[in-house]
Amino acid sequence: QPQWGLPLKTAQDIYRDLQSSLGDVLPDAELFIKAEIAAEVLRLKVERDAVILGHNYMEPALFHTVPDFQGDSLELSRRAAETDKSVIVFCGVRFMAETAKILNPTKTVLLPTEKGGCSLAESITAADVRALREAYPGVPIVTYINTYADVKAECDICCTSSNAAAVVESLKSDTVIFLPDEFLARNVARETGRHVIVPSVLRKGTLAAGGDDTTVEHTMIAWKGRCEVHELFTPADIDVVRKQYPDVMILAHPECSPEVTAKADFSGSTTAMIRAVEKSKAKRFLLLTECSMGDNIVAANPGKEMLRLCSHRCPHMHEITLEQTRDSLKFMRWEIDVPEHIRVRALRAVERMLAVGPKID
Ligand code: 13P
Ligand code: SF4
């Protein structure tokens, strides 16, 4: 929660808090160092008049100490839209920080890493979207928030994993283009009773509909983007884990394949998964998503046991550490810039999404 006006926590206070929440995850020697850095971040945050937004995937020592707000992409976009601070430090990847800048052109938005990529954001260009619009004139285009500003600028509305079905349904259109995550498109299509086609770009401005056509009612035209982390989970992983732990509750992010989400007990955004674990009476859980989130959940829910498939990790989210966050505030780096002619067009798509909901509690 925000700490404005309250005395700042000392490194010792933070160390004690970390010990009670992360004592089973990180050794004391590490907690000492992290507590010192977190205290420095809190001091710099006040000096710079900054708000820190922390995505659910952040490393536990960062996630549990410095963010004013934690959450999934939608929650953090809403927080970014509401802040009155002059600086926003986005502890997440570049497309998230760009969304904060789209919403706050006069504020300084900092990303604590120079890169902070995402395989989905890199899977599609603005020219690809223009080619799709030419090939399917009049069909509304939904873009997942995991895209860069120039792609959002070409689309009609954004969505995140927590409101994708609601956004698609809000369009009241039989045919919808949904970019760029093919798996999320297939998961949303199942939820909204749609048929999916994945066209491929043959040459500039020409697309092949892969043998299918859009005359079928309730069609979703998808793209070939994949999350490099979530695409690695397989239905066989679920079978093997269930065989060993028959009582396990399995939760999968909707960037996983539809075969995986169909076998899981629950599928939803990162925050939806956290809430589902908190609400569940099960004792043992497996999250098919970035591994840090399991550590963050265990720290907040000591009675719950988390199984881990940690060989698949998001290298981009892992570029952001407590140390990088401190340096971001210290050196005011790396500043996000979105050209104004792109920003104003991207803003329409982001604002349309925010109007659809859901709101945060
Ligand atoms: P959420 O919006 O569910 O937090 O997902 C963001 C993301 O990049 C998941 O890989
Ligand atoms: Fe992108 Fe996948 Fe990493 Fe999320 S987990 S930021 S979708 S690469």
Side-chain angles (χ1 to χ4, degrees):
Q1 289 308 306
Q3 296 167 2
W4 320 116
L6 297 174
L8 286 179
K9 278 187 176 176
T10 63
Q12 218 175 13
D13 298 331
I14 299 170
Y15 167 70
R16 260 188 250 110
D17 291 351
L18 282 177
Q19 216 181 20
S20 74
S21 59
L22 295 175
D24 293 337
V25 180
L26 297 175
D28 261 10
E30 171 94 344
L31 295 182
F32 274 129
I33 299 167
K34 295 290 184 183
E36 291 279 355
I37 302 169
E40 205 183 338
V41 173
L42 294 184
R43 186 178 54 73
L44 286 164
K45 184 165 74 166
V46 173
E47 256 175 54
R48 301 288 195 197
D49 187 35
V51 63
I52 300 184
L53 306 178
H55 186 261
N56 292 324
Y57 285 166
M58 290 297 103
E59 59 157 350
L62 186 166
F63 186 78
H64 290 284
T65 53
V66 298
D68 298 285
F69 299 104
Q70 302 147 324
D72 62 16
S73 312
L74 182 63
E75 290 169 316
L76 296 182
S77 302
R78 289 199 185 282
R79 296 299 185 192
E82 286 162 5
T83 187
D84 59 355
K85 297 290 150 197
S86 359
V87 175
I88 299 171
V89 181
F90 211 118
C91 294
V93 285
R94 179 165 294 271
F95 73 80
M96 297 179 178
E98 261 194 12
T99 306
K101 184 67 182 179
I102 290 167
L103 288 158
N104 293 284
T106 59
K107 296 186 198 299
T108 302
V109 178
L110 302 175
L111 182 67
T113 172
E114 204 170 359
K115 294 187 268 173
C118 167
S119 64
L120 283 171
E122 268 122 54
S123 71
I124 191 158
T125 65
D128 293 330
V129 185
R130 285 193 290 270
L132 281 161
R133 201 175 290 278
E134 219 174 281
Y136 301 104
V139 177
I141 306 184
V142 181
T143 175
Y144 192 28
I145 199 159
N146 297 37
T147 48
Y148 294 123
D150 58 339
V151 167
K152 288 186 175 78
E154 299 292 337
C155 297
D156 298 303
I157 186 165
C158 279
C159 75
T160 75
S161 58
S162 61
N163 63 8
V167 164
V168 166
E169 281 175 342
S170 77
L171 296 171
K172 313 251 177 285
S173 171
D174 272 355
T175 307
V176 170
I177 299 174
F178 189 101
L179 311 170
D181 186 348
E182 183 190 340
F183 286 165
L184 180 63
R186 291 191 183 281
N187 284 315
V188 172
R190 187 172 55 204
E191 204 179 330
T192 58
R194 283 166 188 269
H195 161 91
V196 177
I197 63 168
V198 185
S200 51
V201 177
L202 294 178
R203 57 181 181 275
K204 208 165 177 251
T206 317
L207 292 119
D212 255 312
D213 68 62
T214 52
T215 54
V216 185
E217 269 191 27
H218 304 299
T219 298
M220 193 177 249
I221 298 161
W223 191 249
K224 285 219 154 299
R226 299 277 173 89
C227 163
E228 69 191 86
V229 182
H230 292 90
E231 73 170 340
L232 299 176
F233 296 111
T234 65
D237 291 333
I238 297 186
D239 293 339
V240 170
V241 172
R242 279 205 207 284
K243 200 163 171 211
Q244 193 178 356
Y245 304 99
D247 62 344
V248 68
M249 177 177 178
I250 299 183
L251 303 95
H253 194 276
E255 288 166 13
C256 293
S257 74
E259 293 75 22
V260 166
T261 55
K263 269 197 173 225
D265 300 301
F266 179 88
S267 178
S269 78
T270 53
T271 293
M273 286 194 275
I274 294 172
R275 300 223 170 109
V277 171
E278 283 169 354
K279 272 209 323 232
S280 168
K281 293 205 171 18
K283 292 232 167 346
R284 199 175 264 152
F285 301 87
L286 173 68
L287 298 178
L288 300 180
T289 195
E290 161 53 40
C291 208
S292 297
M293 218 174 82
D295 292 337
N296 289 336
I297 297 179
V298 168
N301 301 273
K304 316 246 175 192
E305 187 191 325
M306 200 60 68
L307 302 175
R308 287 170 173 78
L309 289 184
C310 281
S311 42
H312 312 323
R313 315 221 48 168
C314 178
H316 316 293
M317 287 282 185
H318 279 262
E319 289 168 19
I320 298 111
T321 60
L322 203 45
E323 288 81 348
Q324 290 282 70
T325 306
R326 174 200 56 203
D327 291 349
S328 180
L329 277 165
K330 208 182 214 174
F331 306 115
M332 295 299 279
R333 74 183 188 196
W334 278 271
E335 198 174 336
I336 298 289
D337 181 36
V338 178
E340 188 59 11
H341 68 284
I342 291 176
R343 189 195 70 80
V344 289
R345 294 175 64 217
L347 180 64
R348 283 185 320 209
V350 175
E351 282 185 331
R352 278 186 195 146
M353 168 187 82
L354 295 178
V356 170
K359 308 275 178 272
I360 30 180
D361 314 326

